[in-house]
Amino acid sequence: MDEQTRSEILKTIPYGFYITGVIGPDGEANGFTTCWVSQVSFDPRQVIVAARRGQHTTELLESSGVFSLNYLDAEQEDLARRFTEPVEHDGEGTVNGASFVTGETGVPLFDDAFAHLECRVAGKLEAGDHDVFLGEVVASNLKRPADILTDLDTQMDYGG
């Protein structure tokens, strides 16, 4: 199979978009847009999230051992795009123009997200140019019902 065909087939897997919130040892709040996320266990409740190796946010995730998944609704492509680039710290409680509160684990929970999960890292696997983090869900919050933003709703392309 040629590379182009393989890429096009992999791009047909639907992905939701999330902002993964991380916290540094000095309290630095940060985040990145991610779409490679899945639940992998009922008992205990666990999810996986893939993060590109060598990124500052991935280093923060690994050093803190906690992360949040901030669920974006179908109208929040602009917010997802803001976290695909290095973040700007606008002041206390704001990253890239997005305000947040601190969750139980210390991670940022972005106000505009319709739901949040907070996770403690339970394992890590190297997967090519990404690291896959296994997170045990330790807290959750549903602010409002919504349909999640997916790659089918946007021109954003992170797959293949």
Side-chain angles (χ1 to χ4, degrees):
M1 178 180 308
D2 70 272
E3 189 63 32
Q4 179 65 30
T5 301
R6 182 181 348 214
S7 179
E8 290 303 315
I9 291 170
L10 287 169
K11 287 179 184 178
T12 66
I13 299 171
Y15 299 107
F17 284 102
Y18 312 81
I19 296 172
T20 299
V22 295
I23 191 79
D26 61 353
E28 173 194 351
N30 212 314
F32 62 96
T33 298
T34 187
C35 59
W36 292 349
V37 172
S38 184
Q39 182 175 349
V40 295
S41 173
F42 290 119
D43 188 20
R45 300 241 193 260
Q46 294 179 319
V47 297
I48 54 170
V49 61
R52 185 181 291 271
R53 191 172 305 115
Q55 301 293 311
H56 178 62
T57 49
T58 304
E59 293 167 2
L60 295 178
L61 194 165
E62 189 163 22
S63 68
S64 71
V66 291
F67 64 93
S68 63
L69 286 176
N70 295 267
Y71 286 58
L72 304 180
D73 73 35
E75 304 299 319
Q76 292 180 303
E77 180 178 351
D78 61 328
L79 183 56
R81 287 187 181 280
R82 275 193 263 163
F83 284 85
T84 62
E85 301 294 329
V87 302
E88 294 180 22
H89 294 90
D90 312 318
E92 182 123 357
T94 307
V95 176
N96 268 8
S99 58
F100 67 89
V101 297
T102 301
E104 294 175 25
T105 60
V107 295
L109 303 177
F110 291 97
D111 294 340
D112 290 335
F114 72 85
H116 309 97
L117 293 179
E118 291 184 66
C119 302
R120 291 198 191 285
V121 174
K124 176 186 151 192
L125 170 70
E126 290 185 6
D129 56 1
H130 282 62
D131 290 324
V132 177
F133 293 89
L134 174 66
E136 184 167 340
V137 177
V138 296
S140 60
N141 175 38
L142 176 64
K143 293 174 69 175
R144 59 185 164 80
D147 292 325
I148 194 161
L149 176 68
T150 73
D151 59 333
L152 303 175
D153 301 317
T154 75
Q155 295 298 311
M156 295 174 67
D157 185 19
Y158 198 77

